[in-house]
Amino acid sequence: MWGDYGRMHICEPDHPDGGPTLAQLLALIAAGTLDVVVAPCGTGVPVSDVVLHDPGEERDEDARSAAGLVLLAVGVEVASPEAVDVLRAADRAGAAAVVMRRGARGPRAALLEAAERGRTALLTRRAGQGWTEVLGQLRTALVHSVPDRSGSAAGVDGLRLGDLSGLANTVADLVGGAITIEDPQSRVLAYSRMDHEPDPMRRLTILGQEVPRWRVVQLRESGFFQALWNTDDVVRLPADERYAERLAVAVRHGSEVLGSIWAAADGRPLAEDAVAALRTAARAAVPHLSHHRTWGRAAAWAREGSVHALLAGNGQAAHDVGIVRGRPYAVLVAEAYDGPETAPGDVGQRVQRAQRVLDGLALLAAAYRPGCVTARSGQRLYVLVPAVDGESDPARTLLATARSVPRGVVFAGAGPVVSELAELPASRDAAELVVRVLRERAARLPPAGAGSAVASYAEVAAEADVLRLLDRVEPLWQEMAGPVHAMLEHDRSHGARYGESVAAYLDAFGDTAAAARHLNVHPNTLRYRLRRARELFGVDLADPAVRFLAEIGLRLGPARPRS
């Protein structure tokens, strides 16, 4: 049929020269980056290049040839008046596709009609994706999507570009073992599903998200890494009495080492052709690791931003993180504890240790159940856990795992299951309250006594409700003045322990001997402090009103005494 601007809508058959197609590029870039709105000739059209396109640089009457190009129409939104003119000009120039910003209103009817009458595909860029990122992803995909002699794109292997977990599972099927993909610093980038109980080294590596440092030193001093980084072939690490045999191969792009792939026997001998399969996997992994290095971090940040938006009540972000509407979820919050402020050691090292603990827990959460998504915020990890078969506590197993995570102390709490996405913020708030309860419990213990602790909201509901009340009361308390305020201010300015002594007495229900034992002082010493608190500040614990105010003030002020 004839278009409304004098062109005949004729779609050429798929190109015979074996070049990349629009479909191949879209299959390789990150999911959700681009949406196909109209593709009148399908997505099997050939693509020669991807370029940024400024509509102001040319006029319809003298449009330059854009045959086979994907044009990124920077600054053009599908609902804007110029969108139709831009699409028509791109179509006359022979462009394979034009990409515009989606916007809130979506494409106008005139734009859809123009797209249907032409040959150029109309695509939209989603919110949160920058033009530079889209350009980089498409060009990286273009480089690595040229079909080989068998007709399949190099490195495609049915995987989206950068899907390292999918790559690990694919290679595991080929070699008949367990696969770990690592960066040059021996940090875990992905690992295959575990069909059998892993040996101790694989377990330590996955839980810690990196090869243990002592093991790295062993491999370096033995010359294993030197051999691995200086050959394109597979290097064998024999089995010993503790660990299964390993095969490793470096993944390199030219002279640059991108990482390595490790295969270990997984409850059965490795396949006879495991070495050949690893060689092939190393070549196939190049575009995936290149993409991960270039765009993986930016994509992860965007995904985490969407998770946080969802936890804040923005249900529109569900699509970007793969959350299923109508499915019940619970929110789990884990906080890494890096020790008291007075603990010896470099603060930066303690923080890094805490971050590694959360990294390991994030990996465990991702492997715990399909549909789990995570996001980080400082020293906290947020996990959205889907419930199945009417579960009331879907995070229970994951909570138990958090308690045993190696190399650190973790406080983890799970909020109640909610059935609507709009209720996720409430589950998150409840989980955060659980973490606060656990943290305050730990603050009352000796520094060496703090250990990982986990709980669901139902298990600490009373303490959590007290925290809710105190949060509401605190602004009013700050405006007030009285005996308790005076005592706490004196403690802060003079380093005294009157408040700590009063708190211990209240916690012991007036049992002076028990409170003294908790403070590790003689009962007469405690009686003296309580008498002085009454004489100096008017804190008379025989008065019920004063006791009530002291309880509130001491909970809002300094921590309860340590045992």
Side-chain angles (χ1 to χ4, degrees):
M1 61 179 285
W2 286 95
D4 62 347
Y5 45 95
R7 293 190 56 246
M8 192 173 185
H9 180 167
I10 300 177
C11 291
E12 300 293 337
D14 286 358
H15 57 302
D17 60 359
T21 67
L22 179 60
Q24 288 176 333
L25 299 194
L26 295 177
L28 287 172
I29 65 175
T33 301
L34 300 177
D35 289 320
V36 178
V37 179
V38 178
C41 294
T43 56
V45 294
V47 173
S48 58
D49 201 358
V50 183
V51 299
L52 294 174
H53 175 60
D54 183 356
E57 290 182 351
E58 56 187 47
R59 296 289 183 266
D60 285 355
E61 59 268 22
D62 60 354
R64 292 167 294 181
S65 174
L69 296 182
V70 174
L71 305 178
L72 307 186
V74 178
V76 179
E77 185 177 310
V78 289
S80 63
E82 68 269 25
V84 173
D85 292 336
V86 170
L87 177 65
R88 288 174 174 172
D91 192 57
R92 278 196 295 272
V98 60
V99 183
M100 301 179 186
R101 191 171 72 249
R102 176 188 292 177
R105 293 179 293 174
R108 296 186 303 162
L111 180 63
L112 296 176
E113 183 181 356
E116 291 287 357
R117 290 174 176 269
R119 294 180 301 180
T120 297
L122 172 63
L123 283 67
T124 56
R125 186 206 75 185
R126 291 194 176 185
Q129 301 284 347
W131 285 114
T132 303
E133 180 180 350
V134 172
L135 176 64
Q137 287 199 43
L138 287 171
R139 282 187 170 172
T140 301
L142 187 67
V143 170
H144 296 293
S145 61
V146 178
D148 59 21
R149 293 178 181 177
S150 67
S152 61
V156 172
D157 46 36
L159 301 173
R160 191 175 298 277
L161 194 64
D163 182 6
L164 298 183
S165 295
L167 178 65
N169 286 326
T170 299
V171 179
D173 292 338
L174 293 175
V175 304
I179 297 296
T180 306
I181 302 176
E182 301 171 9
D183 70 7
Q185 288 73 45
S186 299
R187 292 175 298 211
V188 175
L189 300 177
Y191 58 92
S192 61
R193 58 184 173 270
M194 290 180 281
D195 297 326
H196 301 85
E197 179 67 19
D199 70 13
M201 180 54 60
R202 178 169 168 81
R203 184 184 302 109
L204 286 173
T205 299
I206 291 174
L207 289 179
Q209 206 180 358
E210 63 181 3
V211 179
R213 290 298 94 189
W214 58 266
R215 181 65 164 174
V216 171
V217 171
Q218 282 184 351
L219 296 176
R220 184 186 301 120
E221 292 180 348
S222 69
F224 182 86
F225 277 131
Q226 182 177 2
L228 178 64
W229 302 138
N230 286 282
T231 181
D232 292 329
D233 209 348
V234 175
V235 181
R236 186 180 301 272
L237 188 64
D240 58 27
E241 65 277 6
R242 295 172 299 171
Y243 310 129
E245 175 190 33
R246 257 73 171 171
L247 299 178
V249 63
V251 179
R252 64 180 76 249
H253 183 57
S255 61
E256 181 184 13
V257 175
L258 300 177
S260 58
I261 302 176
W262 292 70
D266 185 17
R268 53 181 174 171
L270 294 173
E272 291 184 3
D273 57 350
V275 171
L278 275 183
R279 292 195 194 103
T280 301
R283 293 190 296 270
V286 171
H288 294 287
L289 287 179
S290 296
H291 180 273
H292 173 82
R293 173 172 291 189
T294 306
W295 302 110
R297 183 169 299 177
W301 285 343
R303 179 181 175 83
E304 287 206 346
S306 295
V307 174
H308 284 299
L310 192 59
L311 290 172
N314 180 5
Q316 298 299 319
H319 183 276
D320 296 331
V321 296
I323 292 295
V324 180
R325 292 181 179 274
R327 186 177 184 181
Y329 283 86
V331 178
L332 180 143
V333 177
E335 180 178 277
Y337 178 63
D338 61 0
E341 295 181 4
T342 57
D346 178 73
V347 175
Q349 290 180 351
R350 298 206 313 268
V351 171
Q352 289 179 0
R353 183 169 60 249
Q355 296 295 333
R356 288 197 297 270
V357 169
L358 292 185
D359 288 342
L361 188 56
L363 271 176
L364 291 171
Y368 170 59
R369 174 174 294 175
C372 275
V373 297
T374 64
R376 295 279 289 276
S377 178
Q379 289 183 215
R380 279 187 172 177
L381 174 72
Y382 292 84
V383 186
L384 274 67
V385 185
V388 296
D389 299 328
E391 284 180 307
S392 60
D393 196 2
R396 170 53 54 189
T397 302
L398 193 54
L399 278 175
T401 302
R403 185 193 295 276
S404 60
V405 71
R407 297 189 307 173
V409 174
V410 172
F411 303 136
V417 175
V418 295
S419 57
E420 299 293 337
L421 295 183
E423 298 173 329
L424 281 175
S427 184
R428 178 209 61 202
D429 291 344
E432 290 177 339
L433 273 175
V434 176
V435 171
R436 284 180 60 188
V437 169
L438 299 177
R439 189 171 62 242
E440 292 197 2
R441 286 181 180 178
R444 296 193 291 268
L445 298 173
S452 293
V454 303
S456 65
Y457 184 80
E459 293 170 326
V460 298
E463 292 171 90
D465 287 344
V466 170
L467 291 179
R468 289 179 186 270
L469 288 172
L470 291 174
D471 288 343
R472 296 292 184 91
V473 169
E474 185 171 16
L476 178 60
W477 178 263
Q478 298 299 337
E479 298 174 1
M480 298 167 60
V484 179
H485 289 77
M487 179 181 66
L488 294 178
E489 180 57 37
H490 179 84
D491 281 357
R492 280 191 291 266
S493 58
H494 293 83
R497 303 178 65 183
Y498 292 111
E500 183 180 83
S501 300
V502 170
Y505 181 79
L506 293 174
D507 284 349
F509 297 100
D511 186 335
T512 305
R517 285 195 301 270
H518 190 70
L519 291 170
N520 197 27
V521 299
H522 193 277
N524 287 340
T525 301
L526 177 59
R527 292 189 185 97
Y528 169 77
R529 292 178 183 173
L530 296 178
R531 185 173 66 252
R532 291 294 290 167
R534 184 179 65 251
E535 295 170 352
L536 293 174
F537 315 110
V539 180
D540 182 5
L541 297 180
D543 185 335
V546 173
R547 287 201 306 271
F548 178 70
L549 291 173
E551 185 70 46
I552 293 176
L554 289 165
R555 286 184 177 273
L556 291 174
R560 287 305 220 228
R562 296 180 185 274
S563 57

